[in-house]
PDB file of all heavy atoms in Angstrom:
ATOM      1  N   THR B1616     -13.450 -32.404  45.502  1.00 97.00           N
ATOM      2  CA  THR B1616     -14.549 -32.606  44.559  1.00 97.00           C
ATOM      3  C   THR B1616     -14.609 -34.031  43.991  1.00 97.00           C
ATOM      4  O   THR B1616     -15.292 -34.267  43.001  1.00 97.00           O
ATOM      5  CB  THR B1616     -14.441 -31.592  43.397  1.00 97.00           C
ATOM      6  OG1 THR B1616     -13.114 -31.655  42.852  1.00 97.00           O
ATOM      7  CG2 THR B1616     -14.693 -30.170  43.858  1.00 97.00           C
ATOM      8  N   SER B1617     -13.858 -34.962  44.577  1.00 97.00           N
ATOM      9  CA  SER B1617     -13.894 -36.328  44.028  1.00 97.00           C
ATOM     10  C   SER B1617     -13.963 -37.350  45.150  1.00 97.00           C
ATOM     11  O   SER B1617     -13.742 -37.019  46.319  1.00 97.00           O
ATOM     12  CB  SER B1617     -12.647 -36.589  43.178  1.00 97.00           C
ATOM     13  OG  SER B1617     -11.501 -36.572  43.996  1.00 97.00           O
ATOM     14  N   ALA B1618     -14.247 -38.585  44.794  1.00 98.00           N
ATOM     15  CA  ALA B1618     -14.370 -39.629  45.814  1.00 98.00           C
ATOM     16  C   ALA B1618     -14.209 -40.997  45.187  1.00 98.00           C
ATOM     17  O   ALA B1618     -14.543 -41.205  44.019  1.00 98.00           O
ATOM     18  CB  ALA B1618     -15.743 -39.551  46.487  1.00 98.00           C
ATOM     19  N   ILE B1619     -13.708 -41.924  45.983  1.00 98.00           N
ATOM     20  CA  ILE B1619     -13.741 -43.343  45.635  1.00 98.00           C
ATOM     21  C   ILE B1619     -14.833 -43.971  46.494  1.00 98.00           C
ATOM     22  O   ILE B1619     -14.910 -43.709  47.703  1.00 98.00           O
ATOM     23  CB  ILE B1619     -12.371 -44.006  45.927  1.00 98.00           C
ATOM     24  CG1 ILE B1619     -11.315 -43.554  44.917  1.00 98.00           C
ATOM     25  CG2 ILE B1619     -12.478 -45.526  45.966  1.00 98.00           C
ATOM     26  CD1 ILE B1619     -11.439 -44.098  43.506  1.00 98.00           C
ATOM     27  N   THR B1620     -15.695 -44.754  45.863  1.00 98.00           N
ATOM     28  CA  THR B1620     -16.758 -45.406  46.626  1.00 98.00           C
ATOM     29  C   THR B1620     -16.732 -46.916  46.371  1.00 98.00           C
ATOM     30  O   THR B1620     -16.270 -47.363  45.327  1.00 98.00           O
ATOM     31  CB  THR B1620     -18.141 -44.869  46.205  1.00 98.00           C
ATOM     32  OG1 THR B1620     -18.281 -45.049  44.787  1.00 98.00           O
ATOM     33  CG2 THR B1620     -18.300 -43.392  46.527  1.00 98.00           C
ATOM     34  N   PHE B1621     -17.230 -47.667  47.340  1.00 98.00           N
ATOM     35  CA  PHE B1621     -17.278 -49.126  47.216  1.00 98.00           C
ATOM     36  C   PHE B1621     -18.713 -49.622  47.269  1.00 98.00           C
ATOM     37  O   PHE B1621     -19.507 -49.140  48.080  1.00 98.00           O
ATOM     38  CB  PHE B1621     -16.526 -49.786  48.384  1.00 98.00           C
ATOM     39  CG  PHE B1621     -15.035 -49.610  48.344  1.00 98.00           C
ATOM     40  CD1 PHE B1621     -14.452 -48.422  48.774  1.00 98.00           C
ATOM     41  CD2 PHE B1621     -14.212 -50.625  47.889  1.00 98.00           C
ATOM     42  CE1 PHE B1621     -13.080 -48.263  48.749  1.00 98.00           C
ATOM     43  CE2 PHE B1621     -12.827 -50.481  47.866  1.00 98.00           C
ATOM     44  CZ  PHE B1621     -12.263 -49.288  48.295  1.00 98.00           C
ATOM     45  N   LYS B1622     -19.005 -50.587  46.416  1.00 98.00           N
ATOM     46  CA  LYS B1622     -20.269 -51.330  46.477  1.00 98.00           C
ATOM     47  C   LYS B1622     -19.941 -52.800  46.294  1.00 98.00           C
ATOM     48  O   LYS B1622     -19.103 -53.123  45.447  1.00 98.00           O
ATOM     49  CB  LYS B1622     -21.198 -50.875  45.341  1.00 98.00           C
ATOM     50  CG  LYS B1622     -22.185 -49.855  45.789  1.00 98.00           C
ATOM     51  CD  LYS B1622     -23.513 -49.938  45.014  1.00 98.00           C
ATOM     52  CE  LYS B1622     -24.558 -49.124  45.745  1.00 98.00           C
ATOM     53  NZ  LYS B1622     -24.171 -47.695  45.857  1.00 98.00           N
ATOM     54  N   ASP B1623     -20.554 -53.656  47.055  1.00 98.00           N
ATOM     55  CA  ASP B1623     -20.251 -55.087  46.999  1.00 98.00           C
ATOM     56  C   ASP B1623     -18.740 -55.334  47.035  1.00 98.00           C
ATOM     57  O   ASP B1623     -18.211 -56.209  46.343  1.00 98.00           O
ATOM     58  CB  ASP B1623     -20.827 -55.720  45.719  1.00 98.00           C
ATOM     59  CG  ASP B1623     -22.320 -55.488  45.619  1.00 98.00           C
ATOM     60  OD1 ASP B1623     -22.982 -55.476  46.687  1.00 98.00           O
ATOM     61  OD2 ASP B1623     -22.820 -55.295  44.496  1.00 98.00           O
ATOM     62  N   GLY B1624     -18.065 -54.545  47.808  1.00 97.00           N
ATOM     63  CA  GLY B1624     -16.625 -54.727  47.987  1.00 97.00           C
ATOM     64  C   GLY B1624     -15.774 -54.196  46.860  1.00 97.00           C
ATOM     65  O   GLY B1624     -14.550 -54.250  46.932  1.00 97.00           O
ATOM     66  N   LYS B1625     -16.415 -53.693  45.788  1.00 98.00           N
ATOM     67  CA  LYS B1625     -15.654 -53.266  44.614  1.00 98.00           C
ATOM     68  C   LYS B1625     -15.663 -51.756  44.451  1.00 98.00           C
ATOM     69  O   LYS B1625     -16.701 -51.114  44.653  1.00 98.00           O
ATOM     70  CB  LYS B1625     -16.268 -53.873  43.337  1.00 98.00           C
ATOM     71  CG  LYS B1625     -16.170 -55.373  43.284  1.00 98.00           C
ATOM     72  CD  LYS B1625     -16.859 -55.893  42.024  1.00 98.00           C
ATOM     73  CE  LYS B1625     -17.011 -57.400  42.148  1.00 98.00           C
ATOM     74  NZ  LYS B1625     -18.023 -57.959  41.277  1.00 98.00           N
ATOM     75  N   VAL B1626     -14.550 -51.225  43.991  1.00 98.00           N
ATOM     76  CA  VAL B1626     -14.480 -49.793  43.697  1.00 98.00           C
ATOM     77  C   VAL B1626     -15.351 -49.486  42.482  1.00 98.00           C
ATOM     78  O   VAL B1626     -15.320 -50.205  41.477  1.00 98.00           O
ATOM     79  CB  VAL B1626     -13.013 -49.371  43.418  1.00 98.00           C
ATOM     80  CG1 VAL B1626     -12.949 -47.939  42.906  1.00 98.00           C
ATOM     81  CG2 VAL B1626     -12.179 -49.518  44.685  1.00 98.00           C
ATOM     82  N   GLN B1627     -16.136 -48.430  42.596  1.00 98.00           N
ATOM     83  CA  GLN B1627     -17.091 -48.087  41.540  1.00 98.00           C
ATOM     84  C   GLN B1627     -16.505 -47.189  40.453  1.00 98.00           C
ATOM     85  O   GLN B1627     -17.038 -47.103  39.369  1.00 98.00           O
ATOM     86  CB  GLN B1627     -18.311 -47.388  42.159  1.00 98.00           C
ATOM     87  CG  GLN B1627     -19.074 -48.262  43.143  1.00 98.00           C
ATOM     88  CD  GLN B1627     -19.586 -49.538  42.484  1.00 98.00           C
ATOM     89  OE1 GLN B1627     -20.452 -49.486  41.623  1.00 98.00           O
ATOM     90  NE2 GLN B1627     -19.020 -50.686  42.864  1.00 98.00           N
ATOM     91  N   GLU B1628     -15.425 -46.506  40.758  1.00 98.00           N
ATOM     92  CA  GLU B1628     -14.857 -45.566  39.787  1.00 98.00           C
ATOM     93  C   GLU B1628     -13.812 -46.302  38.945  1.00 98.00           C
ATOM     94  O   GLU B1628     -12.933 -46.973  39.494  1.00 98.00           O
ATOM     95  CB  GLU B1628     -14.226 -44.363  40.503  1.00 98.00           C
ATOM     96  CG  GLU B1628     -15.250 -43.467  41.213  1.00 98.00           C
ATOM     97  CD  GLU B1628     -15.873 -44.068  42.461  1.00 98.00           C
ATOM     98  OE1 GLU B1628     -15.260 -44.993  43.051  1.00 98.00           O
ATOM     99  OE2 GLU B1628     -16.987 -43.644  42.846  1.00 98.00           O
ATOM    100  N   ASN B1629     -13.921 -46.155  37.625  1.00 98.00           N
ATOM    101  CA  ASN B1629     -13.074 -46.939  36.733  1.00 98.00           C
ATOM    102  C   ASN B1629     -11.931 -46.173  36.101  1.00 98.00           C
ATOM    103  O   ASN B1629     -10.881 -46.727  35.829  1.00 98.00           O
ATOM    104  CB  ASN B1629     -13.924 -47.536  35.614  1.00 98.00           C
ATOM    105  CG  ASN B1629     -14.988 -48.461  36.177  1.00 98.00           C
ATOM    106  OD1 ASN B1629     -14.684 -49.355  36.954  1.00 98.00           O
ATOM    107  ND2 ASN B1629     -16.240 -48.214  35.818  1.00 98.00           N
ATOM    108  N   ASN B1630     -12.185 -44.917  35.816  1.00 98.00           N
ATOM    109  CA  ASN B1630     -11.163 -44.159  35.110  1.00 98.00           C
ATOM    110  C   ASN B1630     -11.367 -42.684  35.480  1.00 98.00           C
ATOM    111  O   ASN B1630     -12.210 -42.352  36.327  1.00 98.00           O
ATOM    112  CB  ASN B1630     -11.257 -44.409  33.590  1.00 98.00           C
ATOM    113  CG  ASN B1630      -9.913 -44.204  32.886  1.00 98.00           C
ATOM    114  OD1 ASN B1630      -9.227 -43.213  33.105  1.00 98.00           O
ATOM    115  ND2 ASN B1630      -9.534 -45.144  32.039  1.00 98.00           N
ATOM    116  N   PHE B1631     -10.641 -41.789  34.827  1.00 98.00           N
ATOM    117  CA  PHE B1631     -10.763 -40.364  35.152  1.00 98.00           C
ATOM    118  C   PHE B1631     -12.128 -39.797  34.772  1.00 98.00           C
ATOM    119  O   PHE B1631     -12.442 -38.659  35.117  1.00 98.00           O
ATOM    120  CB  PHE B1631      -9.651 -39.564  34.475  1.00 98.00           C
ATOM    121  CG  PHE B1631      -8.276 -39.851  35.020  1.00 98.00           C
ATOM    122  CD1 PHE B1631      -7.212 -40.116  34.171  1.00 98.00           C
ATOM    123  CD2 PHE B1631      -8.046 -39.859  36.396  1.00 98.00           C
ATOM    124  CE1 PHE B1631      -5.940 -40.366  34.671  1.00 98.00           C
ATOM    125  CE2 PHE B1631      -6.776 -40.119  36.906  1.00 98.00           C
ATOM    126  CZ  PHE B1631      -5.720 -40.374  36.039  1.00 98.00           C
ATOM    127  N   SER B1632     -12.926 -40.585  34.063  1.00 98.00           N
ATOM    128  CA  SER B1632     -14.295 -40.144  33.785  1.00 98.00           C
ATOM    129  C   SER B1632     -15.115 -40.115  35.070  1.00 98.00           C
ATOM    130  O   SER B1632     -16.011 -39.293  35.223  1.00 98.00           O
ATOM    131  CB  SER B1632     -14.944 -41.079  32.770  1.00 98.00           C
ATOM    132  OG  SER B1632     -14.581 -42.422  33.055  1.00 98.00           O
ATOM    133  N   GLU B1633     -14.804 -41.042  35.982  1.00 98.00           N
ATOM    134  CA  GLU B1633     -15.559 -41.083  37.234  1.00 98.00           C
ATOM    135  C   GLU B1633     -14.784 -40.546  38.433  1.00 98.00           C
ATOM    136  O   GLU B1633     -15.354 -39.930  39.322  1.00 98.00           O
ATOM    137  CB  GLU B1633     -16.014 -42.519  37.528  1.00 98.00           C
ATOM    138  CG  GLU B1633     -17.141 -42.985  36.650  1.00 98.00           C
ATOM    139  CD  GLU B1633     -16.728 -44.112  35.720  1.00 98.00           C
ATOM    140  OE1 GLU B1633     -15.566 -44.544  35.787  1.00 98.00           O
ATOM    141  OE2 GLU B1633     -17.550 -44.548  34.926  1.00 98.00           O
TER     142      GLU B1633
END
Side-chain angles (χ1 to χ4, degrees):
Chain B
T1616 52
S1617 66
I1619 288 288
T1620 56
F1621 290 80
K1622 263 211 166 60
D1623 303 326
K1625 295 177 192 160
V1626 171
Q1627 298 301 293
E1628 293 72 22
N1629 299 308
N1630 206 313
F1631 292 132
S1632 40
E1633 286 114 2

